[in-house]
PDB file of all heavy atoms in Angstrom:
ATOM      1  N   ALA A 140      -3.131   9.508  21.024  1.00 91.00           N
ATOM      2  CA  ALA A 140      -4.081   9.922  20.067  1.00 91.00           C
ATOM      3  C   ALA A 140      -4.321   8.690  19.069  1.00 91.00           C
ATOM      4  O   ALA A 140      -5.451   8.421  18.690  1.00 91.00           O
ATOM      5  CB  ALA A 140      -3.684  11.214  19.281  1.00 91.00           C
ATOM      6  N   THR A 141      -3.311   8.006  18.703  1.00 89.00           N
ATOM      7  CA  THR A 141      -3.412   7.005  17.686  1.00 89.00           C
ATOM      8  C   THR A 141      -3.218   5.534  18.296  1.00 89.00           C
ATOM      9  O   THR A 141      -3.633   4.618  17.663  1.00 89.00           O
ATOM     10  CB  THR A 141      -2.396   7.156  16.633  1.00 89.00           C
ATOM     11  OG1 THR A 141      -1.094   6.970  17.121  1.00 89.00           O
ATOM     12  CG2 THR A 141      -2.531   8.537  15.926  1.00 89.00           C
ATOM     13  N   GLY A 142      -2.531   5.515  19.354  1.00 86.00           N
ATOM     14  CA  GLY A 142      -2.150   4.155  19.890  1.00 86.00           C
ATOM     15  C   GLY A 142      -0.871   3.553  19.255  1.00 86.00           C
ATOM     16  O   GLY A 142      -0.491   2.465  19.607  1.00 86.00           O
ATOM     17  N   GLU A 143      -0.429   4.137  18.296  1.00 87.00           N
ATOM     18  CA  GLU A 143       0.795   3.732  17.610  1.00 87.00           C
ATOM     19  C   GLU A 143       2.132   3.885  18.393  1.00 87.00           C
ATOM     20  O   GLU A 143       2.226   4.867  19.105  1.00 87.00           O
ATOM     21  CB  GLU A 143       0.914   4.444  16.237  1.00 87.00           C
ATOM     22  CG  GLU A 143      -0.271   4.079  15.340  1.00 87.00           C
ATOM     23  CD  GLU A 143      -0.419   2.743  14.917  1.00 87.00           C
ATOM     24  OE1 GLU A 143       0.523   2.040  14.670  1.00 87.00           O
ATOM     25  OE2 GLU A 143      -1.537   2.267  14.896  1.00 87.00           O
ATOM     26  N   THR A 144       3.051   3.081  18.118  1.00 85.00           N
ATOM     27  CA  THR A 144       4.384   3.222  18.714  1.00 85.00           C
ATOM     28  C   THR A 144       5.208   4.443  18.046  1.00 85.00           C
ATOM     29  O   THR A 144       5.310   4.457  16.885  1.00 85.00           O
ATOM     30  CB  THR A 144       5.168   1.981  18.503  1.00 85.00           C
ATOM     31  OG1 THR A 144       4.573   0.866  19.141  1.00 85.00           O
ATOM     32  CG2 THR A 144       6.646   2.003  19.136  1.00 85.00           C
ATOM     33  N   ILE A 145       5.544   5.280  18.936  1.00 88.00           N
ATOM     34  CA  ILE A 145       6.349   6.462  18.478  1.00 88.00           C
ATOM     35  C   ILE A 145       7.752   6.047  18.403  1.00 88.00           C
ATOM     36  O   ILE A 145       8.586   6.431  17.521  1.00 88.00           O
ATOM     37  CB  ILE A 145       6.184   7.668  19.314  1.00 88.00           C
ATOM     38  CG1 ILE A 145       4.730   8.147  19.379  1.00 88.00           C
ATOM     39  CG2 ILE A 145       7.219   8.787  19.073  1.00 88.00           C
ATOM     40  CD1 ILE A 145       4.410   9.217  20.425  1.00 88.00           C
ATOM     41  N   SER A 146       8.273   5.420  19.484  1.00 83.00           N
ATOM     42  CA  SER A 146       9.667   4.967  19.600  1.00 83.00           C
ATOM     43  C   SER A 146       9.773   3.770  20.417  1.00 83.00           C
ATOM     44  O   SER A 146       8.952   3.462  21.237  1.00 83.00           O
ATOM     45  CB  SER A 146      10.576   6.129  20.074  1.00 83.00           C
ATOM     46  OG  SER A 146      10.137   6.554  21.404  1.00 83.00           O
ATOM     47  N   LYS A 147      10.896   3.092  20.162  1.00 81.00           N
ATOM     48  CA  LYS A 147      11.192   1.842  20.885  1.00 81.00           C
ATOM     49  C   LYS A 147      12.730   1.779  21.214  1.00 81.00           C
ATOM     50  O   LYS A 147      13.503   2.031  20.318  1.00 81.00           O
ATOM     51  CB  LYS A 147      10.767   0.598  20.124  1.00 81.00           C
ATOM     52  CG  LYS A 147      11.161  -0.701  20.849  1.00 81.00           C
ATOM     53  CD  LYS A 147      10.794  -1.959  19.875  1.00 81.00           C
ATOM     54  CE  LYS A 147      11.336  -3.200  20.597  1.00 81.00           C
ATOM     55  NZ  LYS A 147      11.309  -4.319  19.616  1.00 81.00           N
ATOM     56  N   GLN A 148      13.037   1.609  22.481  1.00 81.00           N
ATOM     57  CA  GLN A 148      14.420   1.486  22.872  1.00 81.00           C
ATOM     58  C   GLN A 148      14.677   0.096  23.409  1.00 81.00           C
ATOM     59  O   GLN A 148      14.174  -0.090  24.562  1.00 81.00           O
ATOM     60  CB  GLN A 148      14.896   2.570  23.803  1.00 81.00           C
ATOM     61  CG  GLN A 148      16.232   2.527  24.168  1.00 81.00           C
ATOM     62  CD  GLN A 148      17.210   2.880  23.068  1.00 81.00           C
ATOM     63  OE1 GLN A 148      17.060   3.756  22.340  1.00 81.00           O
ATOM     64  NE2 GLN A 148      18.217   2.117  22.931  1.00 81.00           N
ATOM     65  N   ASP A 149      15.422  -0.810  22.845  1.00 77.00           N
ATOM     66  CA  ASP A 149      15.737  -2.093  23.412  1.00 77.00           C
ATOM     67  C   ASP A 149      16.676  -1.926  24.457  1.00 77.00           C
ATOM     68  O   ASP A 149      17.655  -1.127  24.473  1.00 77.00           O
ATOM     69  CB  ASP A 149      16.339  -3.024  22.318  1.00 77.00           C
ATOM     70  CG  ASP A 149      15.244  -3.546  21.343  1.00 77.00           C
ATOM     71  OD1 ASP A 149      14.082  -3.503  21.737  1.00 77.00           O
ATOM     72  OD2 ASP A 149      15.577  -3.787  20.164  1.00 77.00           O
ATOM     73  N   ILE A 150      16.591  -2.734  25.499  1.00 73.00           N
ATOM     74  CA  ILE A 150      17.501  -2.689  26.655  1.00 73.00           C
ATOM     75  C   ILE A 150      18.297  -4.022  26.647  1.00 73.00           C
ATOM     76  O   ILE A 150      17.585  -5.093  26.865  1.00 73.00           O
ATOM     77  CB  ILE A 150      16.742  -2.533  28.040  1.00 73.00           C
ATOM     78  CG1 ILE A 150      15.998  -1.246  27.905  1.00 73.00           C
ATOM     79  CG2 ILE A 150      17.735  -2.515  29.192  1.00 73.00           C
ATOM     80  CD1 ILE A 150      15.095  -0.986  29.138  1.00 73.00           C
ATOM     81  N   GLN A 151      19.420  -3.979  26.469  1.00 66.00           N
ATOM     82  CA  GLN A 151      20.199  -5.316  26.147  1.00 66.00           C
ATOM     83  C   GLN A 151      20.559  -5.954  27.458  1.00 66.00           C
ATOM     84  O   GLN A 151      20.894  -5.259  28.566  1.00 66.00           O
ATOM     85  CB  GLN A 151      21.534  -5.010  25.398  1.00 66.00           C
ATOM     86  CG  GLN A 151      21.278  -4.272  24.142  1.00 66.00           C
ATOM     87  CD  GLN A 151      20.554  -5.243  23.072  1.00 66.00           C
ATOM     88  OE1 GLN A 151      20.745  -6.423  23.103  1.00 66.00           O
ATOM     89  NE2 GLN A 151      19.578  -4.709  22.360  1.00 66.00           N
ATOM     90  N   ASP A 152      20.696  -7.308  27.469  1.00 57.00           N
ATOM     91  CA  ASP A 152      21.207  -8.038  28.540  1.00 57.00           C
ATOM     92  C   ASP A 152      20.558  -7.943  29.930  1.00 57.00           C
ATOM     93  O   ASP A 152      21.150  -7.912  30.979  1.00 57.00           O
ATOM     94  CB  ASP A 152      22.746  -7.728  28.797  1.00 57.00           C
ATOM     95  CG  ASP A 152      23.542  -8.025  27.446  1.00 57.00           C
ATOM     96  OD1 ASP A 152      23.161  -8.998  26.789  1.00 57.00           O
ATOM     97  OD2 ASP A 152      24.410  -7.332  27.184  1.00 57.00           O
ATOM     98  N   CYS A 153      19.207  -7.692  29.907  1.00 55.00           N
ATOM     99  CA  CYS A 153      18.650  -7.611  31.212  1.00 55.00           C
ATOM    100  C   CYS A 153      17.198  -8.240  31.157  1.00 55.00           C
ATOM    101  O   CYS A 153      16.440  -7.993  32.048  1.00 55.00           O
ATOM    102  CB  CYS A 153      18.423  -6.115  31.642  1.00 55.00           C
ATOM    103  SG  CYS A 153      17.360  -5.163  30.794  1.00 55.00           S
ATOM    104  N   PHE A 154      17.035  -9.116  30.249  1.00 49.00           N
ATOM    105  CA  PHE A 154      15.728  -9.780  30.274  1.00 49.00           C
ATOM    106  C   PHE A 154      15.349 -10.532  31.482  1.00 49.00           C
ATOM    107  O   PHE A 154      14.237 -10.295  32.078  1.00 49.00           O
ATOM    108  CB  PHE A 154      15.542 -10.858  29.086  1.00 49.00           C
ATOM    109  CG  PHE A 154      14.203 -11.493  29.077  1.00 49.00           C
ATOM    110  CD1 PHE A 154      13.134 -10.901  28.556  1.00 49.00           C
ATOM    111  CD2 PHE A 154      14.248 -12.805  29.520  1.00 49.00           C
ATOM    112  CE1 PHE A 154      11.822 -11.517  28.627  1.00 49.00           C
ATOM    113  CE2 PHE A 154      12.928 -13.416  29.547  1.00 49.00           C
ATOM    114  CZ  PHE A 154      11.777 -12.801  29.066  1.00 49.00           C
ATOM    115  N   ASP A 155      16.313 -11.326  32.024  1.00 49.00           N
ATOM    116  CA  ASP A 155      15.923 -12.130  33.278  1.00 49.00           C
ATOM    117  C   ASP A 155      15.629 -11.233  34.403  1.00 49.00           C
ATOM    118  O   ASP A 155      14.675 -11.392  35.156  1.00 49.00           O
ATOM    119  CB  ASP A 155      16.987 -12.982  33.595  1.00 49.00           C
ATOM    120  CG  ASP A 155      17.225 -14.233  32.610  1.00 49.00           C
ATOM    121  OD1 ASP A 155      16.252 -14.539  31.899  1.00 49.00           O
ATOM    122  OD2 ASP A 155      18.365 -14.698  32.449  1.00 49.00           O
ATOM    123  N   GLU A 156      16.443 -10.215  34.645  1.00 48.00           N
ATOM    124  CA  GLU A 156      16.191  -9.314  35.720  1.00 48.00           C
ATOM    125  C   GLU A 156      14.865  -8.498  35.537  1.00 48.00           C
ATOM    126  O   GLU A 156      14.119  -8.283  36.408  1.00 48.00           O
ATOM    127  CB  GLU A 156      17.399  -8.264  35.884  1.00 48.00           C
ATOM    128  CG  GLU A 156      18.667  -8.884  36.328  1.00 48.00           C
ATOM    129  CD  GLU A 156      19.452  -9.548  35.199  1.00 48.00           C
ATOM    130  OE1 GLU A 156      19.026  -9.509  33.979  1.00 48.00           O
ATOM    131  OE2 GLU A 156      20.375 -10.123  35.564  1.00 48.00           O
ATOM    132  N   ALA A 157      14.694  -7.988  34.323  1.00 45.00           N
ATOM    133  CA  ALA A 157      13.535  -7.144  34.041  1.00 45.00           C
ATOM    134  C   ALA A 157      12.259  -7.913  34.142  1.00 45.00           C
ATOM    135  O   ALA A 157      11.206  -7.390  34.578  1.00 45.00           O
ATOM    136  CB  ALA A 157      13.600  -6.462  32.651  1.00 45.00           C
ATOM    137  N   ALA A 158      12.210  -9.244  33.747  1.00 47.00           N
ATOM    138  CA  ALA A 158      11.028  -9.963  33.750  1.00 47.00           C
ATOM    139  C   ALA A 158      10.627 -10.184  35.179  1.00 47.00           C
ATOM    140  O   ALA A 158       9.448 -10.475  35.529  1.00 47.00           O
ATOM    141  CB  ALA A 158      11.339 -11.383  33.174  1.00 47.00           C
ATOM    142  N   ASN A 159      11.540  -9.979  36.155  1.00 48.00           N
ATOM    143  CA  ASN A 159      11.080 -10.239  37.639  1.00 48.00           C
ATOM    144  C   ASN A 159      10.857  -9.023  38.308  1.00 48.00           C
ATOM    145  O   ASN A 159      10.577  -9.011  39.502  1.00 48.00           O
ATOM    146  CB  ASN A 159      12.280 -10.996  38.273  1.00 48.00           C
ATOM    147  CG  ASN A 159      12.348 -12.462  37.793  1.00 48.00           C
ATOM    148  OD1 ASN A 159      11.377 -13.107  37.622  1.00 48.00           O
ATOM    149  ND2 ASN A 159      13.585 -12.878  37.479  1.00 48.00           N
ATOM    150  N   MET A 160      10.987  -7.800  37.620  1.00 47.00           N
ATOM    151  CA  MET A 160      10.845  -6.542  38.379  1.00 47.00           C
ATOM    152  C   MET A 160       9.325  -6.389  38.611  1.00 47.00           C
ATOM    153  O   MET A 160       8.497  -6.559  37.716  1.00 47.00           O
ATOM    154  CB  MET A 160      11.281  -5.360  37.484  1.00 47.00           C
ATOM    155  CG  MET A 160      12.764  -5.219  37.389  1.00 47.00           C
ATOM    156  SD  MET A 160      13.132  -3.845  36.313  1.00 47.00           S
ATOM    157  CE  MET A 160      14.944  -4.133  36.028  1.00 47.00           C
ATOM    158  N   ARG A 161       8.988  -5.825  39.760  1.00 45.00           N
ATOM    159  CA  ARG A 161       7.649  -5.527  40.167  1.00 45.00           C
ATOM    160  C   ARG A 161       7.567  -4.021  40.314  1.00 45.00           C
ATOM    161  O   ARG A 161       6.457  -3.366  40.191  1.00 45.00           O
ATOM    162  CB  ARG A 161       7.140  -6.278  41.358  1.00 45.00           C
ATOM    163  CG  ARG A 161       6.885  -7.610  41.133  1.00 45.00           C
ATOM    164  CD  ARG A 161       5.728  -7.928  40.240  1.00 45.00           C
ATOM    165  NE  ARG A 161       5.478  -9.258  40.086  1.00 45.00           N
ATOM    166  CZ  ARG A 161       5.342  -9.802  38.867  1.00 45.00           C
ATOM    167  NH1 ARG A 161       5.416  -8.957  37.772  1.00 45.00           N
ATOM    168  NH2 ARG A 161       5.072 -11.080  38.672  1.00 45.00           N
ATOM    169  N   ASN A 162       8.562  -3.337  40.825  1.00 45.00           N
ATOM    170  CA  ASN A 162       8.516  -1.955  41.104  1.00 45.00           C
ATOM    171  C   ASN A 162       9.703  -1.357  40.333  1.00 45.00           C
ATOM    172  O   ASN A 162      10.853  -1.526  40.703  1.00 45.00           O
ATOM    173  CB  ASN A 162       8.549  -1.636  42.564  1.00 45.00           C
ATOM    174  CG  ASN A 162       7.441  -2.167  43.293  1.00 45.00           C
ATOM    175  OD1 ASN A 162       6.303  -1.966  43.043  1.00 45.00           O
ATOM    176  ND2 ASN A 162       7.688  -3.127  44.283  1.00 45.00           N
ATOM    177  N   ILE A 163       9.333  -0.456  39.432  1.00 48.00           N
ATOM    178  CA  ILE A 163      10.301   0.323  38.713  1.00 48.00           C
ATOM    179  C   ILE A 163       9.803   1.627  38.424  1.00 48.00           C
ATOM    180  O   ILE A 163       8.677   1.791  38.126  1.00 48.00           O
ATOM    181  CB  ILE A 163      10.832  -0.429  37.485  1.00 48.00           C
ATOM    182  CG1 ILE A 163      12.065   0.237  36.857  1.00 48.00           C
ATOM    183  CG2 ILE A 163       9.732  -0.623  36.473  1.00 48.00           C
ATOM    184  CD1 ILE A 163      12.730  -0.547  35.804  1.00 48.00           C
ATOM    185  N   HIS A 164      10.581   2.682  38.469  1.00 48.00           N
ATOM    186  CA  HIS A 164      10.167   4.032  38.122  1.00 48.00           C
ATOM    187  C   HIS A 164      11.120   4.783  37.386  1.00 48.00           C
ATOM    188  O   HIS A 164      12.358   4.508  37.532  1.00 48.00           O
ATOM    189  CB  HIS A 164       9.934   4.784  39.448  1.00 48.00           C
ATOM    190  CG  HIS A 164       8.898   4.249  40.290  1.00 48.00           C
ATOM    191  ND1 HIS A 164       7.491   4.422  40.016  1.00 48.00           N
ATOM    192  CD2 HIS A 164       8.988   3.408  41.353  1.00 48.00           C
ATOM    193  CE1 HIS A 164       6.892   3.730  40.968  1.00 48.00           C
ATOM    194  NE2 HIS A 164       7.671   3.050  41.814  1.00 48.00           N
ATOM    195  N   PHE A 165      10.725   5.506  36.390  1.00 50.00           N
ATOM    196  CA  PHE A 165      11.568   6.235  35.514  1.00 50.00           C
ATOM    197  C   PHE A 165      11.178   7.712  35.667  1.00 50.00           C
ATOM    198  O   PHE A 165      10.054   8.119  35.930  1.00 50.00           O
ATOM    199  CB  PHE A 165      11.251   5.894  34.011  1.00 50.00           C
ATOM    200  CG  PHE A 165      11.666   4.431  33.630  1.00 50.00           C
ATOM    201  CD1 PHE A 165      10.830   3.489  33.623  1.00 50.00           C
ATOM    202  CD2 PHE A 165      13.044   4.309  33.445  1.00 50.00           C
ATOM    203  CE1 PHE A 165      11.297   2.127  33.294  1.00 50.00           C
ATOM    204  CE2 PHE A 165      13.482   2.841  33.054  1.00 50.00           C
ATOM    205  CZ  PHE A 165      12.551   2.015  33.116  1.00 50.00           C
ATOM    206  N   ALA A 166      12.074   8.560  35.287  1.00 49.00           N
ATOM    207  CA  ALA A 166      11.847  10.058  35.043  1.00 49.00           C
ATOM    208  C   ALA A 166      11.430  10.012  33.650  1.00 49.00           C
ATOM    209  O   ALA A 166      12.269   9.783  32.676  1.00 49.00           O
ATOM    210  CB  ALA A 166      12.987  10.793  35.386  1.00 49.00           C
ATOM    211  N   ILE A 167      10.235  10.426  33.277  1.00 50.00           N
ATOM    212  CA  ILE A 167       9.771  10.459  31.844  1.00 50.00           C
ATOM    213  C   ILE A 167      10.110  11.683  31.079  1.00 50.00           C
ATOM    214  O   ILE A 167       9.793  12.735  31.559  1.00 50.00           O
ATOM    215  CB  ILE A 167       8.236  10.149  31.902  1.00 50.00           C
ATOM    216  CG1 ILE A 167       8.044   8.793  32.504  1.00 50.00           C
ATOM    217  CG2 ILE A 167       7.732  10.163  30.474  1.00 50.00           C
ATOM    218  CD1 ILE A 167       6.600   8.496  32.660  1.00 50.00           C
ATOM    219  N   GLY A 168      10.757  11.494  29.975  1.00 48.00           N
ATOM    220  CA  GLY A 168      10.974  12.562  29.080  1.00 48.00           C
ATOM    221  C   GLY A 168      10.940  12.093  27.676  1.00 48.00           C
ATOM    222  O   GLY A 168      10.544  10.963  27.487  1.00 48.00           O
ATOM    223  N   ARG A 169      11.215  12.806  26.677  1.00 48.00           N
ATOM    224  CA  ARG A 169      11.174  12.357  25.328  1.00 48.00           C
ATOM    225  C   ARG A 169      12.289  11.352  25.025  1.00 48.00           C
ATOM    226  O   ARG A 169      13.505  11.533  25.477  1.00 48.00           O
ATOM    227  CB  ARG A 169      11.413  13.472  24.390  1.00 48.00           C
ATOM    228  CG  ARG A 169      10.340  14.413  24.193  1.00 48.00           C
ATOM    229  CD  ARG A 169       9.038  13.956  23.494  1.00 48.00           C
ATOM    230  NE  ARG A 169       8.988  13.775  22.168  1.00 48.00           N
ATOM    231  CZ  ARG A 169       8.159  12.995  21.622  1.00 48.00           C
ATOM    232  NH1 ARG A 169       7.229  12.327  22.372  1.00 48.00           N
ATOM    233  NH2 ARG A 169       8.034  12.759  20.316  1.00 48.00           N
TER     234      ARG A 169
END
Side-chain angles (χ1 to χ4, degrees):
T141 65
E143 299 296 320
T144 300
I145 296 172
S146 61
K147 176 185 171 192
Q148 181 67 47
D149 290 329
I150 302 171
Q151 301 297 322
D152 301 322
C153 71
F154 177 76
D155 291 336
E156 293 83 1
N159 292 314
M160 286 181 194
R161 289 286 180 239
N162 296 303
I163 186 168
H164 299 277
F165 292 100
I167 299 175
R169 288 294 283 162

